[in-house]
Amino acid sequence: HPDLTKALRGGSNNFGIITRFDLHTFSQGKLWGGDVVYNGSVTPELLSAFVDFGAQEHYDEYAALFIAHTYLSTVGQYFAVATPIYTKPVVNPPVFTPFTRIQPQITNNLRIDVLGSYTNVTESAAATGKRNAFITVTFKNDLSFLTDAVAWWRLNAAGLANVSGLTYTMLNQHLLPIVISKTEGLGGNSLGLDATDGPLILSLLSITWTDSADDATVMTAATKLIKQIEDAAKSQGLYHAFKYLNYANADQAVFDGYGQANKIFLQAISKAYDPHGLFQDHVPGGFKLFVSSSIANVS
């Protein structure tokens, strides 16, 4: 069923229940990586290094990175966190030198370790028992524009300084041509991405807070910022409609971002394999192909 296989690569829970996975596996030994926490004052250096990382002509496939810019209302300060990962046990691989040499650093736990160690750290940092929301936007890898977007985020976060228990993060990571092209020989996917689109930046606003009375205030601010970024990116020819489903908010049109042809394809596959619309009308959660969404804005 190559049509269903392609649809499942991006189409979410719109088709049926998967009862078996056949996977190509590989041996993964220890990795090098971790987190480097900086004061927000080094943001210009980080952004420059980040954009250069995504623009490499000969990309090191063992390297991956995201940068998180975070505001904590409890201390009223901005921080930045670089999280490099290198999937070989190589200490300080040269591809990450532009990040590891930036000073001052508040903390640095870069190390060689097993994968489980890194995921445990990530899990321990996750906020539980709080209000939370994601919302996302995609644009091209451009330093001037990214600098503006982060500056707008800082102003947006400052406007929420009185929100109780606020942790407000803009997390940026690349979607690179070498990654996009990986599925071309494996039947493709339904995401509407092409290697000629990249390098792209996936930008996520991740927000947590404590009081439900602040829900509307937080979501209004975040939605306003995303629209500001989208409008500016469109005016500068830097916008990409793709919205990463796992980062998207309920009111974001994820499947529209795949392009009209891919959305029509997904709808046709849904009708073929789920002709009665069980997974559209009776399976809660997720983004649906024939309605905007069925998930809540905030949880």
Side-chain angles (χ1 to χ4, degrees):
H1 303 282
D3 55 349
L4 182 58
T5 299
K6 181 178 179 180
L8 287 169
R9 293 172 175 165
S12 194
N13 65 344
N14 284 282
F15 310 105
I17 299 172
I18 299 174
T19 59
R20 170 177 162 176
F21 290 94
D22 293 328
L23 302 173
H24 296 284
T25 63
F26 62 92
S27 178
Q28 175 61 65
K30 290 186 175 182
L31 309 87
W32 177 91
D35 301 302
V36 183
V37 180
Y38 312 85
N39 185 278
S41 63
V42 305
T43 295
E45 294 173 80
L46 276 175
L47 295 183
S48 180
F50 177 77
V51 169
D52 288 346
F53 178 85
Q56 298 173 76
E57 184 177 356
H58 303 290
Y59 183 74
D60 186 337
E61 293 186 47
Y62 297 101
L65 169 82
F66 60 78
I67 301 289
H69 307 274
T70 297
Y71 174 76
L72 300 177
S73 68
T74 52
V75 295
Q77 292 187 23
Y78 297 90
F79 301 91
V81 183
T83 304
I85 287 291
Y86 200 74
T87 54
K88 286 184 174 182
V90 176
V91 176
N92 293 320
V95 68
F96 292 125
T97 299
F99 301 93
T100 56
R101 70 185 177 197
I102 293 175
Q103 297 290 341
Q105 298 176 6
I106 299 173
T107 63
N108 179 329
N109 66 4
L110 298 175
R111 65 202 185 278
I112 290 178
D113 213 331
V114 296
L115 179 61
S117 172
Y118 299 108
T119 56
N120 287 340
V121 171
T122 300
E123 181 183 17
S124 67
T128 58
K130 292 188 175 184
R131 315 295 292 169
N132 64 83
F134 279 8
I135 188 167
T136 188
V137 63
T138 304
F139 47 85
K140 294 184 179 180
N141 186 50
D142 182 89
L143 178 57
S144 177
F145 186 80
L146 179 60
T147 300
D148 286 342
V150 173
W152 297 332
W153 163 80
R154 286 179 67 111
L155 290 172
N156 195 264
L160 297 175
N162 293 325
V163 171
S164 177
L166 178 76
T167 299
Y168 190 174
T169 295
M170 172 185 261
L171 185 148
N172 295 313
Q173 63 190 104
H174 286 104
L175 186 55
L176 300 170
I178 195 170
V179 175
I180 296 171
S181 64
K182 289 295 184 182
T183 61
E184 291 176 358
L186 300 172
N189 59 53
S190 56
L191 302 175
L193 293 166
D194 189 276
T196 60
D197 295 332
L200 301 171
I201 295 175
L202 301 181
S203 189
L204 163 69
L205 301 185
S206 173
I207 318 168
T208 63
W209 65 103
T210 55
D211 192 343
S212 61
D214 292 318
D215 287 2
T217 299
V218 172
M219 291 311 304
T220 298
T223 302
K224 180 180 179 181
L225 175 58
I226 289 295
K227 186 177 187 306
Q228 181 180 11
I229 294 172
E230 286 182 341
D231 289 348
K234 289 175 183 177
S235 71
Q236 298 179 41
L238 299 172
Y239 177 73
H240 197 289
F242 176 73
K243 294 176 178 61
Y244 180 41
L245 186 148
N246 287 338
Y247 288 173
N249 191 251
D251 59 2
Q252 294 191 283
V254 169
F255 296 121
D256 287 349
Y258 292 3
Q260 184 178 16
N262 279 297
K263 184 176 180 180
I264 291 172
F265 164 74
L266 289 171
Q267 289 175 331
I269 299 302
S270 174
K271 289 179 179 179
Y273 288 91
D274 182 26
H276 302 295
L278 174 67
F279 286 84
Q280 299 301 307
D281 301 326
H282 301 290
V283 176
F287 293 87
K288 303 303 181 183
L289 285 164
F290 296 94
V291 294
S292 59
S293 174
S294 67
I295 60 176
N297 274 323
V298 188
S299 60

